[in-house]
Each structure stands twice: as structure tokens, then as C-alpha cells.
Amino acid sequence: MVSLELRFSGGMELLFGGTKAVTVDVPLKAGAATMRDLLPWMRDHLLKERPELFMDGDSVRPGILVLINDADWELEGDLEYALKASDEIVFISTLHGG
Amino acid sequence: MSLSNEEIERYGRQMILPNIGRPGQLAIKQASVLVVGTGGLGAPVAMYLACAGIGTLGLVDHDTVAVSNIHRQVIHTEDSVGVPKTTSARKALEKANSHVRYVEHNLLLDASNALATLRPYDVIVDCTDNVPTRYLLNDACVLLGKPLVSGSALRFDGQLTVYHYRNGPCYRCLFPTPPPPETVTNCDDGGVLGPVTGMLGSLQALEVLKMVALGESAFAGRMLLVDGLAGAFRTVKLRGRQKECAVCGDAPTIKELVDYVQFCGARPDDKTKPVKMIPANERITVRDLHARLNAVPTTTAAASATAAADSTTKAASISSSATTDGTTTAANSTTVTNVPTTSSAAAPAATSTADRSPSPVVLLDVRAPVQFGIAHLPNSINVPWRDLPSRLDEVRALAPNGTSLVVLCRRGNDSQRAVAKLREEGIECVDVIGGLEAWSADVDPEFPRY
């Protein structure tokens, strides 16, 4: 189990039943499991509607920014980032309105 | 270049800041800034930059002022409704600071005119409302070597960053692929609160002033995320410029502007476009609906209303709890038959789906409850289209054989999705072309638009 803090904003929360933040114990191994494992787990266990608006292939769909502990996940290896206990992972839908 | 005594007096409060001083004010006076979009973000950006004494302020917009803009686009006023936004904004700005040179660009930016429009300016401010224009501005700024101060807002949320500045990423570094159009929500559909755009626009103006006067920004390679509802502000570190970026990378493949409408599969505005998802014979016009509602024989109406006292009361109470003044005219001019619960009441009319079918009409309004609460047709029943899959039995009970189930929404898009879903489940129904906006335009002008 690895305990993670997941946050959703910019409209992403609407796909997750309106939840903006949730602490979850994910049945994955800390240090070994990666974001590549977390995304399908979230899709299967947390997502409330329309999986195509969350994932595209094995990653998030275009227009979603992922942050790991307040940094762009690209800086952390994106899909290959190894999850640690208490990581905070944020999923943000980019906004275009003005 | 120098500063007059009048200018020193006018700008004194910002000039006495140690970081600004006389050199900073002169830099501001020498600067030229282009504000693209004079809406919710552009209004405060333009006003603060003008009042701060920017030398040349360009304003780009192709739209005219609508009354539904003013709650957030605070540079525009009631007497500007129908006036080009660039003109309305310039007039307001001139009243605030006549020292600034204002340039109106009353046009829709596209690949053919963007480089020429942006070229004379030092800093570009993205206050637009749509994806294609955001990619267009990004690519034009990279090709011209200009920084792009980008803000966006929706609902209670906002985002701010500065692209292509101090080795930070460009928009394409972060988002090489545009989002699928169906995932993009505009302010028309999602809603937005004025202070949210006001806050983000004010922050954009602040970054421009720092870039111009100090040559720095807090948001190159960083993004501010604002959750106005939670009162939460968070700044995150972004990736740097990407070597493999198609436009700002080491070996760019984009060397001139492209077709952004095609690239994004979306139009360069924030208007919701009508879709055609279902065949014409599954759709009726608002005039058809009006005629059908009037054609229902009163006896049938009375009979079913009596027979269905329980459900009528329920439907009526849903209506009356939220009905606004605007719906009363519709109530007077139409005879809406309420939901019959027994087939006997409707039996004489239960023959066909022909146009002139006198069968009692059941109105199913599939908008979100908050929109239903703003205004709705009398006796219409609200089941949001997203909830239909879990509420099919309820819908079946609403419209037994012998009734005509008519599905409507705000514009006639979601109602088609609903009809497609319901027909898949064997529930006969039609949708109303153009929805309640068309009802307001063609049948009952008293029905409010929002």
C-alpha cells in the first residue's frame, strides 16, 4: 500500500464526483510502483464518468497538467516516477476562458 | 525621453517604489504592449497598464459588447452594448489616461494577420477565450521572439504563467497536443465570476509592469493556480523549454504560422456551436412545440390533469419553486398537459407520432438543475442529461404510451444527446431544435436568456 494525496482542479474534479482532494491508500508498492500504474488504478477505482476525458493511451489526455509535489511531472520522469508515501499528486485541466 | 511634471505627479506613487523610480517609469513609458482580448481578463489588464503609463497600448478584439459581458468585462458599460469592444475599451481608457497612445485592432487574429499585428509590440498579453487563438499567439510570439503573459479563468478557477521568457517553456512545450474539443468548457457554458477574471487580469498587468520596468517575472517557468472558491493560491514549477518542442525547440518543425482551427478542431471563439447528432425526423421546432402544446384538447388536458393529480402536483411544485417572472407569459399562452399516470386518460389520442398528434405532451428539460432554476417552461420536468442513464425508469414512468415525450435544453445540443440515449433504451421521444434560446427568439420573447 502507498498512501497518496490526490487533488483535482480546473474542472478535473467533475470527473471524480466533485472531489477536490482525497487521501487514498493505493494497493501498489511504494518505491516500485510508478505513475504508469497509478493512472489506470485511478481510472478503475476513483473516476466517476467518461474515462476518455481522463486518459489517452497509457497517459493522461492532452490538456491535463500533472503535478507531483508542486512540480510539473515532466521534471520528475512523468509516467516513470516512482510513487513514495505521502506524495501529493495534482491533476489540473487547463483553462482557456477569459 | 523625459517625464513632465504632470506625469511625475500622476505616477509618483509607483515611482517612489525603489524598484521602479525614474528609470522604471521611463521604461514603462517607452514600452508597447498588446492586449489580445478585451474581455474579463483584458479589461483589468488594459486599465492597469494604461493607468500605469504604458507608452503604447494595443487592443485586439473582433467582438462587440453584449450585456452578458458586463458582469466581468468591467471596462465596458451599458451605453457600449453593440459597440466594438476595442472602441468601447479605448474610450474608457482615454478617460483614465490621455497620455497613452492607444491602437485599436478590431479584427479576428488568425495566421494571416497575427505576425503583422504583434510585431510592433514588446510584450503580448493573452486574454483570449479559446484554444486555437492561444496556440496562434504562442507560435507568433516564439517566431517573433516576444514573451507571452498568459491568463485564463473559468468558474472560480484561474491560471497564470509567462511563456517563452527567460528560457521558460512555451505553451507547446507544456501542451504539444491540443485538448479534444469536447473537453474544453467555455465561460458561456461553464460560467465565470467577475472577480476571478479581475484577479487574474490584475496579476497579468503586474507581470507586464515588472517585465517592462525590471526585466523580470515571477512566472517564467512557473504557474499560478488559483481556486477562488477555496481561497487557495498555489505556484508550481513548470518544465523548462523543451528541446524537442515543435516551435521553440532546437530543431523546430513549425517555422511559420499554421491553420490553428484545423490543428485544434475548434473555432477561434468561445461560442457554443449547434451540433446535429440525430435525424431531422427526431426533432421539432419551437413553433411545432408551441402548436402541439396549444393543440392538446382541453378535455384531454383536464382529464389527464385530474387523473394524474399526484404527479401534476409534483411537477407543478417543481415548477413553481423556481419559476421566474419571465415564464408566466408562456404559461398564459400555452396549454401544457401534465403527466398522465394512467394510459386511459391518454388512450383516445394514443395513435401515432404524426406531427398533428393531439397526444399530451410531456416536457423533459435536460439542463443542469442550476439552469433549470433560472427559468423553465411551466410543467416541464428536470432530469439532467448526464443523469439519464441512472434515471431511465423515472423517465419511462413520466411518458407512458400515448404521450409525446419532448426533450429540451438551452440550445438544442444536449437534448439531442438525451434523445439518442433515450431512443437507445427504447423510449420514443423528440428534441426541440435550438432549445429554450429558440423558444425565446421565436415563440416567447419574455422567456429569459442567460
Side-chain angles (χ1 to χ4, degrees):
Chain A
M1 285 284 186
V2 54
S3 177
L4 303 171
E5 165 110 3
L6 305 178
R7 290 178 177 272
F8 308 99
S9 74
M12 283 300 296
E13 66 275 15
L14 302 177
L15 298 181
F16 290 87
T19 313
K20 281 192 169 181
V22 60
T23 303
V24 288
D25 289 321
V26 186
L28 296 169
K29 197 161 177 254
T34 65
M35 288 296 290
R36 191 184 291 283
D37 306 307
L38 178 65
L39 296 179
W41 183 86
M42 288 175 63
R43 177 194 61 204
D44 297 342
H45 295 88
L46 300 179
L47 195 71
K48 294 289 186 280
E49 56 181 292
R50 300 199 287 176
E52 72 280 9
L53 299 191
F54 178 53
M55 285 187 75
D56 178 17
D58 58 359
S59 191
V60 292
R61 65 135 170 100
I64 295 177
L65 192 60
V66 183
L67 306 168
I68 298 173
N69 300 323
D70 277 347
D72 186 346
W73 75 329
E74 198 274 342
L75 296 167
E76 310 289 335
D78 53 63
L79 284 174
E80 308 312 325
Y81 174 80
L83 300 166
K84 302 190 310 291
S86 304
D87 276 343
E88 183 198 53
I89 301 172
V90 184
F91 297 85
I92 300 165
S93 184
T94 50
L95 307 176
H96 308 94
Chain B
M1 188 176 277
S2 63
L3 297 169
S4 67
N5 284 356
E6 199 275 339
E7 286 175 299
I8 290 171
E9 184 180 359
R10 174 186 285 259
Y11 304 122
R13 296 298 184 282
Q14 65 192 42
M15 286 178 68
I16 60 174
L17 292 169
N19 310 12
I20 305 282
R22 187 181 176 85
Q25 190 61 48
L26 280 169
I28 291 169
K29 186 175 176 180
Q30 279 166 356
S32 57
V33 178
L34 184 66
V35 181
V36 185
T38 56
L41 298 166
V45 170
M47 190 54 89
Y48 277 119
L49 293 182
C51 291
I54 288 285
T56 301
L57 193 59
L59 307 165
V60 179
D61 213 305
H62 69 283
D63 214 351
T64 54
V65 178
V67 75
S68 64
N69 299 147
I70 296 175
H71 83 108
R72 68 186 186 283
Q73 304 180 13
V74 294
I75 203 166
H76 306 301
T77 50
E78 290 174 8
D79 57 5
S80 286
V81 170
V83 171
K85 285 187 180 176
T86 52
T87 305
S88 164
R90 179 179 51 78
K91 286 184 173 162
L93 297 169
E94 276 170 348
K95 280 187 198 168
N97 192 348
S98 58
H99 294 265
V100 177
R101 180 175 161 254
Y102 300 102
V103 184
E104 280 187 52
H105 304 275
N106 184 7
L107 51 81
L108 179 64
L109 271 192
D110 62 25
S112 74
N113 58 23
L115 292 178
T117 306
L118 269 59
R119 190 171 279 121
Y121 296 93
D122 303 323
V123 179
I124 313 302
V125 194
D126 186 346
C127 304
T128 64
D129 56 14
N130 66 85
V131 182
T133 308
R134 287 182 181 271
Y135 277 98
L136 168 69
L137 283 176
N138 179 73
D139 290 1
C141 281
V142 172
L143 294 174
L144 294 168
K146 298 178 191 300
L148 179 63
V149 181
S150 172
S152 58
L154 185 70
R155 303 191 181 96
F156 286 87
D157 293 336
Q159 296 167 358
L160 172 84
T161 188
V162 179
Y163 289 118
H164 193 53
Y165 190 61
R166 300 278 179 259
N167 213 33
C170 81
Y171 191 51
R172 274 189 197 264
C173 293
L174 282 191
F175 305 108
T177 311
E182 66 273 20
T183 66
V184 176
T185 306
N186 60 33
C187 292
D188 250 21
D189 288 341
V192 64
L193 214 50
V196 176
T197 53
M199 181 164 56
L200 271 295
S202 300
L203 288 163
Q204 286 177 284
L206 174 59
E207 290 315 299
V208 172
L209 290 176
K210 288 190 301 190
M211 290 161 71
V212 165
L214 315 176
E216 64 183 51
S217 166
F219 293 105
R222 305 208 306 160
M223 184 181 276
L224 175 71
L225 308 167
V226 177
D227 178 342
L229 194 56
F233 292 69
R234 160 188 298 241
T235 302
V236 301
K237 189 172 189 295
L238 296 176
R239 67 197 73 177
R241 184 183 71 89
Q242 299 290 286
K243 289 193 178 92
E244 63 278 13
C245 175
V247 67
C248 79
D250 291 347
T253 53
I254 296 168
K255 295 170 182 167
E256 57 186 30
L257 299 179
V258 300
D259 183 338
Y260 295 89
V261 172
Q262 188 187 41
F263 176 61
C264 300
R267 299 194 310 180
D269 60 39
D270 71 340
K271 310 292 189 285
T272 303
K273 67 178 170 191
V275 295
K276 269 190 196 164
M277 294 177 56
I278 59 176
N281 64 359
E282 297 177 4
R283 313 198 70 190
I284 62 172
T285 66
V286 286
R287 292 184 200 283
D288 292 338
L289 174 62
H290 188 223
R292 283 194 190 195
L293 292 172
N294 283 333
V296 175
T298 13
T299 49
T300 308
S304 53
T306 311
D310 285 350
S311 64
T312 304
T313 308
K314 190 181 169 197
S317 71
I318 294 168
S319 297
S320 62
S321 66
T323 301
T324 68
D325 292 349
T327 59
T328 52
T329 307
N332 293 337
S333 65
T334 57
T335 310
V336 179
T337 308
N338 263 296
V339 189
T341 50
T342 62
S343 56
S344 63
T351 46
S352 76
T353 55
D355 279 357
R356 294 187 175 282
S357 165
S359 58
V361 170
V362 176
L363 281 177
L364 181 66
D365 186 327
V366 294
R367 293 173 299 156
V370 68
Q371 295 188 30
F372 187 80
I374 292 172
H376 55 260
L377 292 183
N379 302 319
S380 56
I381 292 151
N382 185 216
V383 180
W385 70 274
R386 282 177 197 279
D387 295 351
L388 284 175
S390 59
R391 295 174 68 177
L392 286 169
D393 291 343
E394 197 180 328
V395 174
R396 267 197 195 92
L398 286 173
N401 287 340
T403 59
S404 297
L405 182 62
V406 176
V407 182
L408 79 172
C409 67
R410 185 178 176 192
R411 297 194 179 96
N413 288 348
D414 291 341
S415 56
Q416 294 181 72
R417 293 186 176 94
V419 165
K421 175 70 191 165
L422 293 174
R423 282 178 176 257
E424 230 176 77
E425 301 293 334
I427 300 174
E428 188 74 11
C429 54
V430 292
D431 100 304
V432 180
I433 298 166
L436 290 162
E437 293 209 340
W439 180 267
S440 178
D442 298 341
V443 173
D444 178 14
E446 296 290 309
F447 190 86
R449 298 201 206 189
Y450 54 89

mmCIF file of all heavy atoms in Angstrom, chain B residues 169-196:
data_model
loop_
_atom_site.group_PDB
_atom_site.id
_atom_site.type_symbol
_atom_site.label_atom_id
_atom_site.label_comp_id
_atom_site.label_asym_id
_atom_site.label_seq_id
_atom_site.Cartn_x
_atom_site.Cartn_y
_atom_site.Cartn_z
ATOM 1 N N PRO B 169 9.307 27.559 -20.600
ATOM 2 C CA PRO B 169 8.632 26.840 -21.681
ATOM 3 C C PRO B 169 7.681 27.744 -22.462
ATOM 4 O O PRO B 169 7.278 28.798 -21.969
ATOM 5 C CB PRO B 169 7.839 25.773 -20.930
ATOM 6 C CG PRO B 169 7.536 26.410 -19.618
ATOM 7 C CD PRO B 169 8.735 27.260 -19.284
ATOM 8 N N CYS B 170 7.341 27.321 -23.665
ATOM 9 C CA CYS B 170 6.235 27.958 -24.380
ATOM 10 C C CYS B 170 4.998 27.082 -24.156
ATOM 11 O O CYS B 170 5.077 26.021 -23.530
ATOM 12 C CB CYS B 170 6.567 28.164 -25.860
ATOM 13 S SG CYS B 170 6.356 26.702 -26.903
ATOM 14 N N TYR B 171 3.876 27.562 -24.654
ATOM 15 C CA TYR B 171 2.614 26.828 -24.477
ATOM 16 C C TYR B 171 2.718 25.417 -25.053
ATOM 17 O O TYR B 171 2.248 24.448 -24.471
ATOM 18 C CB TYR B 171 1.515 27.631 -25.175
ATOM 19 C CG TYR B 171 0.092 27.198 -24.911
ATOM 20 C CD1 TYR B 171 -0.383 27.025 -23.622
ATOM 21 C CD2 TYR B 171 -0.797 27.002 -25.971
ATOM 22 C CE1 TYR B 171 -1.700 26.653 -23.391
ATOM 23 C CE2 TYR B 171 -2.109 26.637 -25.749
ATOM 24 C CZ TYR B 171 -2.561 26.464 -24.465
ATOM 25 O OH TYR B 171 -3.868 26.109 -24.251
ATOM 26 N N ARG B 172 3.390 25.308 -26.208
ATOM 27 C CA ARG B 172 3.531 23.996 -26.843
ATOM 28 C C ARG B 172 4.473 23.064 -26.077
ATOM 29 O O ARG B 172 4.355 21.843 -26.199
ATOM 30 C CB ARG B 172 4.065 24.152 -28.271
ATOM 31 C CG ARG B 172 3.006 24.404 -29.302
ATOM 32 C CD ARG B 172 3.633 24.318 -30.676
ATOM 33 N NE ARG B 172 2.788 24.926 -31.686
ATOM 34 C CZ ARG B 172 1.934 24.229 -32.441
ATOM 35 N NH1 ARG B 172 1.820 22.933 -32.296
ATOM 36 N NH2 ARG B 172 1.208 24.856 -33.345
ATOM 37 N N CYS B 173 5.442 23.628 -25.345
ATOM 38 C CA CYS B 173 6.299 22.757 -24.523
ATOM 39 C C CYS B 173 5.440 22.016 -23.505
ATOM 40 O O CYS B 173 5.648 20.847 -23.213
ATOM 41 C CB CYS B 173 7.338 23.584 -23.774
ATOM 42 S SG CYS B 173 8.570 24.373 -24.802
ATOM 43 N N LEU B 174 4.477 22.760 -22.944
ATOM 44 C CA LEU B 174 3.595 22.152 -21.940
ATOM 45 C C LEU B 174 2.518 21.289 -22.587
ATOM 46 O O LEU B 174 2.175 20.228 -22.078
ATOM 47 C CB LEU B 174 2.885 23.243 -21.132
ATOM 48 C CG LEU B 174 3.626 23.964 -20.035
ATOM 49 C CD1 LEU B 174 2.627 24.782 -19.230
ATOM 50 C CD2 LEU B 174 4.342 22.988 -19.125
ATOM 51 N N PHE B 175 1.968 21.802 -23.676
ATOM 52 C CA PHE B 175 0.825 21.132 -24.309
ATOM 53 C C PHE B 175 1.085 20.950 -25.799
ATOM 54 O O PHE B 175 0.550 21.684 -26.618
ATOM 55 C CB PHE B 175 -0.460 21.935 -24.072
ATOM 56 C CG PHE B 175 -0.725 22.203 -22.623
ATOM 57 C CD1 PHE B 175 -0.570 23.487 -22.099
ATOM 58 C CD2 PHE B 175 -1.088 21.178 -21.769
ATOM 59 C CE1 PHE B 175 -0.791 23.731 -20.752
ATOM 60 C CE2 PHE B 175 -1.308 21.421 -20.416
ATOM 61 C CZ PHE B 175 -1.163 22.699 -19.905
ATOM 62 N N PRO B 176 1.905 19.949 -26.150
ATOM 63 C CA PRO B 176 2.227 19.737 -27.565
ATOM 64 C C PRO B 176 0.982 19.395 -28.390
ATOM 65 O O PRO B 176 0.922 19.706 -29.566
ATOM 66 C CB PRO B 176 3.199 18.550 -27.558
ATOM 67 C CG PRO B 176 3.443 18.190 -26.144
ATOM 68 C CD PRO B 176 2.541 18.976 -25.260
ATOM 69 N N THR B 177 0.017 18.764 -27.745
ATOM 70 C CA THR B 177 -1.209 18.342 -28.440
ATOM 71 C C THR B 177 -2.396 19.119 -27.873
ATOM 72 O O THR B 177 -2.530 19.205 -26.652
ATOM 73 C CB THR B 177 -1.452 16.835 -28.215
ATOM 74 O OG1 THR B 177 -0.236 16.144 -28.503
ATOM 75 C CG2 THR B 177 -2.549 16.307 -29.097
ATOM 76 N N PRO B 178 -3.220 19.694 -28.744
ATOM 77 C CA PRO B 178 -4.379 20.424 -28.208
ATOM 78 C C PRO B 178 -5.374 19.486 -27.537
ATOM 79 O O PRO B 178 -5.428 18.300 -27.877
ATOM 80 C CB PRO B 178 -5.005 21.086 -29.443
ATOM 81 C CG PRO B 178 -4.458 20.365 -30.616
ATOM 82 C CD PRO B 178 -3.174 19.715 -30.214
ATOM 83 N N PRO B 179 -6.138 19.999 -26.586
ATOM 84 C CA PRO B 179 -7.125 19.150 -25.915
ATOM 85 C C PRO B 179 -8.249 18.790 -26.880
ATOM 86 O O PRO B 179 -8.558 19.576 -27.781
ATOM 87 C CB PRO B 179 -7.652 20.042 -24.793
ATOM 88 C CG PRO B 179 -7.424 21.440 -25.281
ATOM 89 C CD PRO B 179 -6.193 21.386 -26.127
ATOM 90 N N PRO B 180 -8.848 17.606 -26.724
ATOM 91 C CA PRO B 180 -10.023 17.282 -27.544
ATOM 92 C C PRO B 180 -11.091 18.359 -27.322
ATOM 93 O O PRO B 180 -11.337 18.748 -26.175
ATOM 94 C CB PRO B 180 -10.486 15.934 -26.991
ATOM 95 C CG PRO B 180 -9.344 15.400 -26.182
ATOM 96 C CD PRO B 180 -8.547 16.577 -25.722
ATOM 97 N N PRO B 181 -11.696 18.864 -28.400
ATOM 98 C CA PRO B 181 -12.656 19.978 -28.259
ATOM 99 C C PRO B 181 -13.743 19.707 -27.227
ATOM 100 O O PRO B 181 -14.178 20.630 -26.538
ATOM 101 C CB PRO B 181 -13.254 20.105 -29.668
ATOM 102 C CG PRO B 181 -12.220 19.533 -30.575
ATOM 103 C CD PRO B 181 -11.515 18.460 -29.804
ATOM 104 N N GLU B 182 -14.171 18.433 -27.099
ATOM 105 C CA GLU B 182 -15.279 18.151 -26.164
ATOM 106 C C GLU B 182 -14.845 18.292 -24.707
ATOM 107 O O GLU B 182 -15.678 18.285 -23.808
ATOM 108 C CB GLU B 182 -15.883 16.770 -26.430
ATOM 109 C CG GLU B 182 -14.957 15.581 -26.153
ATOM 110 C CD GLU B 182 -14.084 15.205 -27.355
ATOM 111 O OE1 GLU B 182 -13.897 16.054 -28.253
ATOM 112 O OE2 GLU B 182 -13.582 14.065 -27.368
ATOM 113 N N THR B 183 -13.527 18.432 -24.450
ATOM 114 C CA THR B 183 -13.082 18.593 -23.071
ATOM 115 C C THR B 183 -12.913 20.060 -22.692
ATOM 116 O O THR B 183 -12.545 20.378 -21.570
ATOM 117 C CB THR B 183 -11.723 17.899 -22.841
ATOM 118 O OG1 THR B 183 -10.719 18.584 -23.618
ATOM 119 C CG2 THR B 183 -11.765 16.449 -23.233
ATOM 120 N N VAL B 184 -13.150 20.953 -23.664
ATOM 121 C CA VAL B 184 -12.944 22.379 -23.407
ATOM 122 C C VAL B 184 -14.267 23.017 -23.019
ATOM 123 O O VAL B 184 -15.242 22.935 -23.763
ATOM 124 C CB VAL B 184 -12.372 23.078 -24.654
ATOM 125 C CG1 VAL B 184 -12.262 24.571 -24.419
ATOM 126 C CG2 VAL B 184 -11.012 22.486 -25.009
ATOM 127 N N THR B 185 -14.302 23.607 -21.847
ATOM 128 C CA THR B 185 -15.511 24.289 -21.397
ATOM 129 C C THR B 185 -15.308 25.788 -21.536
ATOM 130 O O THR B 185 -14.267 26.313 -21.139
ATOM 131 C CB THR B 185 -15.789 23.954 -19.925
ATOM 132 O OG1 THR B 185 -15.822 22.535 -19.778
ATOM 133 C CG2 THR B 185 -17.123 24.526 -19.485
ATOM 134 N N ASN B 186 -16.259 26.486 -22.130
ATOM 135 C CA ASN B 186 -16.133 27.942 -22.247
ATOM 136 C C ASN B 186 -16.959 28.633 -21.159
ATOM 137 O O ASN B 186 -17.725 28.012 -20.431
ATOM 138 C CB ASN B 186 -16.542 28.410 -23.654
ATOM 139 C CG ASN B 186 -17.979 28.039 -23.986
ATOM 140 O OD1 ASN B 186 -18.835 28.010 -23.127
ATOM 141 N ND2 ASN B 186 -18.231 27.751 -25.250
ATOM 142 N N CYS B 187 -16.758 29.955 -21.047
ATOM 143 C CA CYS B 187 -17.441 30.705 -19.985
ATOM 144 C C CYS B 187 -18.958 30.715 -20.191
ATOM 145 O O CYS B 187 -19.722 30.821 -19.239
ATOM 146 C CB CYS B 187 -16.909 32.132 -19.915
ATOM 147 S SG CYS B 187 -15.196 32.232 -19.349
ATOM 148 N N ASP B 188 -19.395 30.612 -21.461
ATOM 149 C CA ASP B 188 -20.812 30.579 -21.783
ATOM 150 C C ASP B 188 -21.493 29.376 -21.140
ATOM 151 O O ASP B 188 -22.616 29.462 -20.668
ATOM 152 C CB ASP B 188 -20.968 30.440 -23.302
ATOM 153 C CG ASP B 188 -21.505 31.705 -23.932
ATOM 154 O OD1 ASP B 188 -21.372 32.770 -23.294
ATOM 155 O OD2 ASP B 188 -22.055 31.618 -25.044
ATOM 156 N N ASP B 189 -20.812 28.257 -21.143
ATOM 157 C CA ASP B 189 -21.394 27.021 -20.626
ATOM 158 C C ASP B 189 -20.988 26.742 -19.183
ATOM 159 O O ASP B 189 -21.766 26.217 -18.403
ATOM 160 C CB ASP B 189 -20.974 25.828 -21.498
ATOM 161 C CG ASP B 189 -21.663 25.848 -22.850
ATOM 162 O OD1 ASP B 189 -22.691 26.546 -22.975
ATOM 163 O OD2 ASP B 189 -21.170 25.190 -23.773
ATOM 164 N N GLY B 190 -19.730 27.047 -18.840
ATOM 165 C CA GLY B 190 -19.232 26.716 -17.512
ATOM 166 C C GLY B 190 -19.509 27.809 -16.494
ATOM 167 O O GLY B 190 -19.577 27.555 -15.301
ATOM 168 N N GLY B 191 -19.651 29.046 -16.989
ATOM 169 C CA GLY B 191 -19.844 30.173 -16.090
ATOM 170 C C GLY B 191 -18.515 30.691 -15.554
ATOM 171 O O GLY B 191 -17.487 29.999 -15.593
ATOM 172 N N VAL B 192 -18.519 31.923 -15.089
ATOM 173 C CA VAL B 192 -17.312 32.526 -14.518
ATOM 174 C C VAL B 192 -17.747 33.716 -13.673
ATOM 175 O O VAL B 192 -18.758 34.350 -13.951
ATOM 176 C CB VAL B 192 -16.331 32.963 -15.627
ATOM 177 C CG1 VAL B 192 -16.915 34.050 -16.508
ATOM 178 C CG2 VAL B 192 -14.982 33.386 -15.059
ATOM 179 N N LEU B 193 -16.988 33.977 -12.624
ATOM 180 C CA LEU B 193 -17.310 35.081 -11.730
ATOM 181 C C LEU B 193 -16.359 36.246 -12.019
ATOM 182 O O LEU B 193 -15.160 36.040 -12.196
ATOM 183 C CB LEU B 193 -17.143 34.583 -10.297
ATOM 184 C CG LEU B 193 -18.085 35.131 -9.222
ATOM 185 C CD1 LEU B 193 -19.542 35.042 -9.642
ATOM 186 C CD2 LEU B 193 -17.873 34.377 -7.924
ATOM 187 N N GLY B 194 -16.906 37.470 -12.068
ATOM 188 C CA GLY B 194 -16.110 38.635 -12.436
ATOM 189 C C GLY B 194 -14.821 38.806 -11.645
ATOM 190 O O GLY B 194 -13.755 39.027 -12.236
ATOM 191 N N PRO B 195 -14.861 38.732 -10.323
ATOM 192 C CA PRO B 195 -13.614 38.937 -9.570
ATOM 193 C C PRO B 195 -12.537 37.900 -9.890
ATOM 194 O O PRO B 195 -11.352 38.171 -9.666
ATOM 195 C CB PRO B 195 -14.064 38.826 -8.106
ATOM 196 C CG PRO B 195 -15.499 39.188 -8.138
ATOM 197 C CD PRO B 195 -16.025 38.663 -9.444
ATOM 198 N N VAL B 196 -12.924 36.745 -10.401
ATOM 199 C CA VAL B 196 -11.914 35.743 -10.759
ATOM 200 C C VAL B 196 -11.126 36.215 -11.990
ATOM 201 O O VAL B 196 -9.894 36.236 -11.976
ATOM 202 C CB VAL B 196 -12.552 34.351 -10.993
ATOM 203 C CG1 VAL B 196 -11.503 33.352 -11.469
ATOM 204 C CG2 VAL B 196 -13.196 33.857 -9.707
#
